[in-house]
Amino acid sequence: YKMVKSLTQWVTLKEVQDENYLQRLLEKLILEMNTKTNLVARVSQESFKRMPEVVELVEKKLGQLTNIRVEMDLDQEGPGIILESDNGIIDGSIKAQMASLDRIFESVARDE
């Protein structure tokens, strides 16, 4: 399990390094959130400068995002997005993704 877990984390981190990662992540989070209005996207300082371009590309694909605000989250490290809307909050930060992987593998290990 440890080897598969490490490999899964490595693949996830490899994907994060892709230049289109933020765009794909924002698209996925918006679709999961099931709304394109009144959004707050919290991103790391490093990702903040790329977000106008990312939002523009996502709008071309999904349609206009009404009332979207991008905020810098100094507590976030690396690429990732915490998306908030009237429907709730989805944590797409790297830290949350790795914690989710840990829980999945811990659950599998307990079932054996």
Side-chain angles (χ1 to χ4, degrees):
Y1 287 113
K2 288 182 182 183
M3 184 176 76
V4 174
K5 177 182 168 185
S6 295
L7 182 60
T8 303
Q9 288 176 331
W10 179 82
V11 169
T12 301
L13 291 173
K14 192 75 169 159
E15 179 186 356
V16 167
Q17 295 173 0
D18 182 68
E19 67 181 50
N20 296 322
Y21 173 72
L22 285 174
Q23 177 187 342
R24 288 192 317 272
L25 179 61
L26 183 58
E27 287 174 19
K28 179 182 174 191
L29 294 176
I30 288 171
L31 291 172
E32 195 170 320
M33 190 70 76
N34 198 29
T35 186
K36 296 189 286 183
T37 60
N38 300 326
L39 300 170
V40 177
R42 293 185 303 152
V43 298
S44 69
Q45 186 173 5
E46 180 183 322
S47 298
F48 185 77
K49 59 188 170 209
R50 294 195 50 231
M51 288 308 290
E53 174 190 343
V54 168
V55 169
E56 184 179 325
L57 292 169
V58 169
E59 284 184 321
K60 286 181 182 177
K61 192 165 185 179
L62 299 180
Q64 184 176 0
L65 304 175
T66 307
N67 193 26
I68 183 168
R69 186 174 74 237
V70 178
E71 295 179 351
M72 191 182 310
D73 183 350
L74 298 177
D75 293 330
Q76 264 196 75
E77 296 178 16
I81 300 170
I82 299 172
L83 188 65
E84 301 178 18
S85 80
D86 297 335
N87 295 347
I89 299 172
I90 300 176
D91 190 344
S93 66
I94 296 297
K95 184 177 179 179
Q97 291 180 46
M98 291 300 140
S100 180
L101 284 173
D102 285 342
R103 284 191 301 276
I104 289 169
F105 280 94
E106 286 171 10
S107 170
V108 170
R110 280 190 297 239
D111 290 343
E112 289 297 311

